[in-house]
Amino acid sequence: MTEREKLEQGMWYDANYDEELCAARVSAAEITFDFNHTRPGDAERREELLRKLLGSVGENVEVLSPLQVDYGCNISLGSWSFINHGAYLMDCAPISIGSHVFIGPSFGAYTAQHPLVADERNQGLERALPITIEDDVWIGGDVKVMPGVTIGRGSVIGAGSLVTRDIPAGVIARGVPCKPIRPI
């Protein structure tokens, strides 16, 4: 079984030393570099690069620079969605962002987990769990979303939150750790 196959099945895999995965990250970094250095007014080129980088991109999306990804191809971005400056989408597993999603600045979506035992961590092992952000979600600035989390449709996540568990649909949630506060 290849390291990519292990990654795709949510198993522990060699994230640091596998040649195929390293090459895929370098390729994504090259496209991301070009995207981040494209003039803001050159909407056609920015969209072309975004569509080349990401797995799928809906209509009328806007992603502001700088953007960072690991692979890019594991990210789907729905129509009419907006991602503000400074997003890091660690897409070792799929990151699905629905339609009409608004994401504030300095957002992090982290799919990777590393072993707690140092010897295993030092071997470059990790595993990754998907992140899902359903339609009509609003995420404030400086929010971080951890591996395996789903944020339900229409919810609002308060600025500075650390989302470690699923958030149901239609709620305002905030905090460290992020918890539902009340229904919308």
Side-chain angles (χ1 to χ4, degrees):
M1 178 177 289
T2 68
E3 297 305 307
R4 180 177 291 279
E5 289 169 337
K6 291 177 191 175
L7 177 157
E8 291 169 351
Q9 292 184 26
M11 300 169 65
W12 292 102
Y13 66 96
D14 176 356
N16 292 335
Y17 307 111
D18 180 74
E19 290 182 19
E20 177 190 2
L21 295 178
C22 289
R25 287 194 304 273
V26 168
S27 177
E30 295 283 345
I31 299 167
T32 303
F33 180 90
D34 291 344
F35 176 81
N36 288 333
H37 290 85
T38 301
R39 298 185 66 81
D42 191 352
E44 185 175 310
R45 177 71 175 145
R46 291 178 64 78
E47 181 177 348
E48 174 190 331
L49 289 167
L50 203 59
R51 289 185 183 283
K52 184 176 178 182
L53 176 65
L54 303 184
S56 69
V57 179
E59 298 301 317
N60 299 303
V61 303
E62 185 171 9
V63 178
L64 302 181
S65 299
L67 169 69
Q68 296 299 320
V69 303
D70 277 12
Y71 298 97
C73 62
N74 295 321
I75 299 166
S76 63
L77 181 58
S79 296
W80 299 97
S81 288
F82 172 79
I83 299 176
N84 212 319
H85 299 283
Y88 177 25
L89 306 176
M90 182 188 286
D91 66 315
C92 305
I95 296 175
S96 175
I97 300 171
S99 295
H100 297 277
V101 172
F102 297 93
I103 296 176
S106 301
F107 174 70
Y110 308 131
T111 63
Q113 295 179 320
H114 301 281
L116 299 177
V117 176
D119 287 341
E120 294 172 1
R121 196 170 47 250
N122 293 341
Q123 293 173 30
L125 294 177
E126 73 178 40
R127 69 176 177 180
L129 300 172
I131 292 173
T132 301
I133 301 169
E134 295 181 348
D135 295 342
D136 303 312
V137 169
W138 174 23
I139 297 175
D142 293 306
V143 169
K144 309 305 178 212
V145 179
M146 297 295 107
V149 166
T150 295
I151 299 174
R153 182 184 183 115
S155 285
V156 175
I157 307 297
S161 293
L162 176 63
V163 188
T164 60
R165 297 192 176 167
D166 290 353
I167 301 297
V171 300
I172 296 173
R174 68 171 187 240
V176 178
C178 187
K179 296 178 182 175
I181 303 302
R182 66 174 175 85
I184 296 176

